[in-house]
């Protein structure tokens, strides 16, 4: 692999740092392939993030680190697997602010957002909260100056380069552009998260409430 | 409810159900959770003849009281505390036979913070993602106990081992946590490891199941700005902008954007779970791999 740093994390983990989110996604996909094929040593957690993949619960981190450097990791395929469609009503309270930040009309926010192909880069913040990449970098937006104490469940929101969907009501500082009724998180369902890392996503027009 | 159960008479400051936690879901944003003092919860289970990973009660500072609705075998470990059954003193750190209807009182901790109360057969609330643990960060698992709540107990599987009693833990006046540097030691000023190792820290009262917070000298950064979110491990020593290290405990977030200076090994974290606010705290740096 090119441009990879393997950082020590305690006694039983490794943090693999790559030079982009795409490269982290490609390594994550390769790790899952090798785990499914039974060729990866036992790893309790494989946690992708913005530019890294954490491997936790590893019996022999130095040996796995040595192996990793010899891997030939193929790039992510543009749209290899089935795509999850999330129906969205673009009715968020921050739609006008986002339109102003993007320098477009309000209705164009929905058009631009629906045209993009997203991938779940990683989850965090809350169970089933996915950080989706796919918007062009010129559409990155800051967080709200004052976070909301309660963002409603199903809010579709933007922060930095990411789109996120709130799987339950929680405090949050993201810019709210829309709402979905998609069942994002159910710990009694398999899989519990609708949007797991690596999942391809498109946002499509949602039914009016 | 019929059958084997207990009802909560006094929930205490924070009493929750814990087992060995949820493993394998960190990539979905699900914390590990589980008993903070795992050796103590495992010991309590062994004393009553349970598998080590059965669900127990974890108390905080001032114990709890429960009424058993069936004859039960109970053991209390972790923080040392007085134990009574219907007001009469009972053994700490040993299996105690309790008649149906009796009130088991786990008193305030005299040393340590968290006591563990195991019942033969275990606590059998509905598991969520393979664990019965209460996760205070994300709200998975049963809510912390409240007075009057009824908690189901399982059927005892086997006989208790022949043990007279477990030794009460000595809680030293000073908590020493070893720290192995990395992954983001390079984000800190060159003097940060020395400041951490020489610093006279204390356990902050703001500590909880998510993290052991500290009071003491602040660590300076070499690289400012926010780190792109990355995966976090149990025992990570994360340093937020105020420069005061936070040691991640069982309910820690799975990803975070503050740099991690080093990692405390899991075997040191049971002592961290029993360190009361104000306890002197020293970090001992160990060699990187």
């Amino acid at each position: 692999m090119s441009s990879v740093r393997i950082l020590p994390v305690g006694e039983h983990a490794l943090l693999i740092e790559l030079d982009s989110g795409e490269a982290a996604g490609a390594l994550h996909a390769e790790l899952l392939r090798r785990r499914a094929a039974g060729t990866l040593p036992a790893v309790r957690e494989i946690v992708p993030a913005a530019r890294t993949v954490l491997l936790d619960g590893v019996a022999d981190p130095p040996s796995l680190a040595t192996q990793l450097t010899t891997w030939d990791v193929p790039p992510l395929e543009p749209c290899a697997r089935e795509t999850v469609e999330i129906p969205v009503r673009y009715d968020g309270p921050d739609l006008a602010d986002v339109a102003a930040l993007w320098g477009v009309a309000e209705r164009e926010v929905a058009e631009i957002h629906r045209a993009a192909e997203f991938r779940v880069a990683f989850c965090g913040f809350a169970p089933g909260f996915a950080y989706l990449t796919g918007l062009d970098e010129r559409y990155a937006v800051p967080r709200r100056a004052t976070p909301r104490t309660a963002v409603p469940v199903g809010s579709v929101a933007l922060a930095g380069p990411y789109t996120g969907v709130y799987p339950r009501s929680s405090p949050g500082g993201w810019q709210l552009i829309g709402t979905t009724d998609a069942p994002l998180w159910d710990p009694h369902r398999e899989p519990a998260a609708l949007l797991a890392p690596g999942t391809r996503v498109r946002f499509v027009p949602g039914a009016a409430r | 409810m019929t059958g084997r159960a207990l009802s909560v008479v006094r929930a205490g400051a924070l009493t929750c159900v814990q087992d060995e936690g949820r493993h394998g879901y960190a990539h979905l944003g699900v914390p590990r959770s589980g008993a903070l003092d795992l050796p103590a919860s495992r010991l309590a289970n062994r004393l009553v003849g349970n598998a080590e990973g059965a669900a127990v009660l974890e108390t905080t500072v001032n114990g709890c009281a429960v009424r058993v609705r069936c004859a039960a075998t109970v053991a209390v470990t972790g923080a040392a505390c007085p134990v009574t059954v219907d007001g009469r003193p009972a053994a700490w750190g040993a299996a105690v036979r309790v008649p149906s209807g009796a009130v088991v009182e786990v008193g305030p901790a005299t040393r340590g913070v968290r006591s563990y109360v195991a019942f033969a057969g275990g606590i059998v609330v509905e598991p969520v993602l393979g664990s019965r643990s209460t996760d205070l960060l994300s709200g998975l698992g049963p809510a912390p106990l409240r007075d009057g709540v009824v908690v189901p107990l399982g059927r005892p599987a086997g006989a208790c081992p022949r043990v007279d009693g477990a030794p009460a833990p000595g809680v030293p006046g000073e908590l020493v946590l070893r720290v192995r540097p990395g992954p983001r030691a390079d984000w800190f000023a060159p003097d940060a490891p020395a400041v951490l190792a020489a610093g006279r820290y204390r356990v902050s009262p703001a500590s909880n199941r998510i993290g052991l917070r500290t009071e003491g000298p602040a660590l300076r950064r070499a690289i400012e700005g926010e780190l792109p979110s990355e995966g976090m491990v149990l025992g990570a020593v994360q340093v937020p902008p105020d420069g005061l290290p936070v040691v991640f405990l069982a309910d820690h977030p799975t990803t975070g954007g503050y740099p991690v200076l080093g990692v405390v090994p899991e075997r040191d974290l049971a002592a961290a779970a029993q360190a009361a606010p104000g306890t002197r705290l020293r970090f001992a740096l160990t060699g990187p791999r």
Side-chain angles (χ1 to χ4, degrees):
Chain A
M1 277 188 296
S2 61
S3 309
V4 54
R5 281 174 78 205
I6 300 182
L7 305 169
V9 184
E11 296 174 340
H12 300 293
L14 294 171
L15 187 68
I16 308 156
E17 184 173 39
L18 299 113
D19 52 12
S20 71
E22 283 286 298
L27 174 64
H28 177 242
E30 177 69 13
L31 284 160
L32 296 190
R33 274 194 294 275
R34 287 179 185 247
R35 181 153 76 174
T39 58
L40 186 71
V43 174
R44 192 177 58 231
E45 309 280 2
I46 301 177
V47 188
R51 282 203 317 249
T52 57
V53 180
L54 173 73
L55 301 177
D56 193 9
V58 180
D60 186 355
S63 145
L64 181 55
T66 308
Q67 273 187 48
L68 279 165
T69 54
T70 67
W71 289 5
D72 185 19
V73 177
L76 275 180
E77 291 169 46
C79 206
R81 288 187 288 152
E82 65 179 288
T83 298
V84 171
E85 294 195 339
I86 308 252
V88 181
R89 298 179 298 277
Y90 287 89
D91 58 0
D94 302 329
L95 204 56
D97 288 355
V98 169
L101 286 163
W102 286 5
V104 302
E106 263 186 57
R107 62 175 167 73
E108 287 178 86
V109 171
E111 288 163 19
I112 291 164
H113 198 251
R114 279 202 292 258
E117 290 181 1
F118 291 90
R119 178 178 64 85
V120 178
F122 60 101
C123 293
F125 175 63
F129 186 99
Y131 292 73
L132 298 121
T133 52
L135 273 182
D136 191 279
E137 60 187 33
R138 75 192 129 134
Y139 296 127
V141 295
R143 285 163 199 257
R144 308 284 305 168
T146 307
R148 292 182 167 87
T149 53
V151 172
V153 60
S155 292
V156 177
L158 307 179
Y162 300 110
T163 293
V165 190
Y166 283 77
R168 60 168 195 210
S169 177
S170 62
W174 291 38
Q175 310 269 2
L176 311 186
I177 61 168
T179 316
T180 181
D181 299 326
L184 292 154
W185 174 252
D186 178 356
H188 300 291
R189 177 184 67 192
E190 174 59 37
L194 180 64
L195 305 180
T199 306
R200 301 285 176 169
V201 178
R202 288 191 78 96
F203 294 95
V204 299
R209 209 190 277 277
Chain B
M1 191 181 297
T2 58
R4 300 178 55 79
L6 58 84
S7 57
V8 179
V9 176
R10 180 180 68 84
L14 170 64
T15 300
C16 50
V17 177
Q18 295 296 338
D19 55 18
E20 292 179 326
R22 297 182 177 86
H23 297 268
Y25 298 98
H27 63 291
L28 300 181
V30 175
R32 170 194 304 218
S33 198
L36 285 200
D37 184 346
L38 268 176
S41 69
R42 288 171 175 158
L43 172 62
N45 275 321
R46 287 201 302 275
L47 288 170
V48 298
N50 288 347
E52 284 192 332
V56 301
L57 297 181
E58 177 183 280
T59 71
T60 312
V61 180
N62 68 349
C64 70
V66 300
R67 183 185 299 279
V68 292
R69 296 185 165 191
C70 52
T73 303
V74 183
V76 181
T77 65
C81 62
V83 179
T84 63
V85 175
D86 280 339
R88 284 188 291 277
W92 181 100
V96 176
R97 297 276 306 157
V98 179
S100 180
V103 172
V104 179
E105 171 86 35
V106 178
T110 52
R111 286 193 307 280
V113 176
R114 296 173 170 94
S115 299
Y116 292 85
V117 193
F119 301 85
I123 289 166
V124 294
V125 295
E126 193 64 28
V128 176
L129 296 174
S131 167
R132 298 184 164 96
S133 290
T134 297
D135 167 359
L136 292 180
L137 181 75
S138 57
L140 296 176
L145 298 191
R146 283 177 297 109
D147 293 356
V149 162
V150 174
V151 178
L153 297 178
R155 296 225 156 265
C160 296
R162 288 184 165 275
V163 182
D164 290 336
V171 175
E174 183 183 53
L175 173 65
V176 180
L177 298 178
R178 284 166 292 180
V179 178
R180 189 189 283 242
R184 297 294 176 186
D186 56 343
W187 275 57
F188 294 88
D191 71 348
V195 171
L196 183 73
R200 292 160 178 260
Y201 287 91
R202 284 189 184 272
V203 175
S204 160
S207 301
N208 54 25
R209 285 186 42 87
I210 297 164
L212 180 94
R213 293 176 180 273
T214 64
E215 294 169 345
L219 305 175
R220 289 185 306 124
R221 293 258 289 262
I223 303 174
E224 294 301 331
E226 200 168 329
L227 183 71
S229 279
E230 62 189 26
M232 292 283 147
V233 298
L234 184 67
V237 180
Q238 202 194 44
V239 183
D242 67 6
L244 295 178
V246 178
V247 181
F248 274 171
L249 301 180
D251 289 356
H252 71 86
T254 57
T255 60
Y258 297 131
V260 170
L261 174 61
V263 178
V264 176
E266 221 173 299
R267 60 187 175 280
D268 286 7
L269 296 177
Q274 298 296 0
T279 301
R280 288 198 310 277
L281 164 62
R282 191 159 58 79
F283 291 100
L285 294 184
T286 61
R289 270 198 298 269

